[in-house]
């Protein structure tokens, strides 16, 4: 369900990454995000930024949780690890990731929690796992209460995700009631919960405070109907790749 093409690394990737890092202008940056593939395969580059960037710069690292970060990363309180955990049990998580790493991820999260590094869990909502949203919230509170926040994320239908659309895509309106209950449960337990990549109008008013304008500016789109909406300026819209699906939802109402 990855929204990026599965490209093959070229021999020059490390050289390009080193040049980018060497030329970062920290004076104009508030934060830096390492994404992937698997970011921690490039551990030495992340360490360079952690060691050289001013303390005010927040560093976000997206990782599948199977690789333990180095001590340099773990001892930095301005680093956050964003780790996908797609289900409250091993079989479903492993199916969705194409691996058998669920218990390794949970073990590593337990180890990471002993350090200063912040942890965000990420749950991408698909046809495969939305039935366990409320169970997932209870799982997080009972087993991983040390995480700083949980991000529930709408799908981006590009690349691999688009190829597997029939297996993965589900009308968000079908899972929003369960999502609202999951977010409310975590909030009640003191775990910060966020909803990414979905428009405000899907949610009841009390839950809109959890919805984040998360889609990158060059990817975000709105339906013609949105032009009349008084909440548009506060709404994160939808991915350009999901526009057809949201249009069909509106048409079928």
């Amino acid at each position: 369900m990855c929204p990026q093409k599965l490209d093959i690394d070229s021999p020059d990737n490390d050289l390009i990454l080193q040049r980018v890092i060497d030329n970062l202008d920290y004076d104009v940056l508030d934060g830096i995000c390492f994404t992937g593939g698997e970011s921690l395969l490039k551990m030495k580059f992340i360490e360079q930024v952690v060691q050289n960037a001013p303390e005010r710069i927040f560093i976000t690292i997206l990782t599948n949780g199977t690789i333990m970060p180095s001590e340099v990363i773990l001892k930095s309180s301005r680093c956050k690890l964003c780790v996908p955990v797609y289900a409250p049990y091993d079989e479903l998580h492993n199916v969705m990731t194409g691996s058998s790493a669920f218990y390794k991820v949970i073990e590593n999260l337990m180890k990471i929690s002993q350090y200063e590094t912040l942890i965000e869990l990420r749950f991408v909502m698909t046809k495969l796992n939305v039935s366990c949203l409320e169970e997932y919230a209870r799982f997080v509170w009972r087993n991983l209460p040390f995480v700083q926040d949980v991000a529930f994320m709408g799908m981006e239908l590009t690349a691999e995700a688009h190829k597997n659309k029939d297996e993965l895509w589900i009308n968000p309106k079908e899972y929003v009631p369960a999502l609202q209950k999951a977010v409310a449960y975590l909030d009640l337990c003191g775990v910060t919960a966020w909803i990414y990549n979905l428009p405000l109008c899907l949610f009841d008013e009390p839950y809109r405070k959890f919805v984040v304008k998360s889609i990158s500016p060059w990817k975000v789109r709105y339906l013609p109907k949105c032009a009349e909406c008084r909440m548009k300026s506060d709404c994160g819209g939808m991915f350009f790749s999901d526009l057809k699906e949201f249009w069909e939802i509106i048409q079928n109402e």
Side-chain angles (χ1 to χ4, degrees), residues 71 150 188 228:
E71 291 278 314
V150 180
L188 183 65
E228 307 165 7

Side-chain angles (χ1 to χ4, degrees), residues 13 31 36 56 61 82 86 123 131 133 206 220 226 248:
N13 276 357
R56 64 176 179 78
I61 304 163
C82 298
Y86 294 137
F123 182 105
S131 63
L133 275 163
V220 70
C226 301
E248 290 174 354

Side-chain angles (χ1 to χ4, degrees), residues 47-64:
E47 289 180 344
Q48 286 181 46
V49 173
V50 173
Q51 292 171 324
N52 297 328
E55 281 298 317
R56 64 176 179 78
I57 292 180
F58 195 74
I59 300 169
T60 304
I61 304 163
L62 278 58
T63 169
N64 64 24

Side-chain angles (χ1 to χ4, degrees), residues 131-145:
S131 63
C132 63
L133 275 163
E134 294 176 70
E135 183 184 356
Y136 181 82
R138 292 190 292 270
F139 168 82
V140 171
W141 170 241
R142 291 171 181 168
N143 298 282
L144 306 170

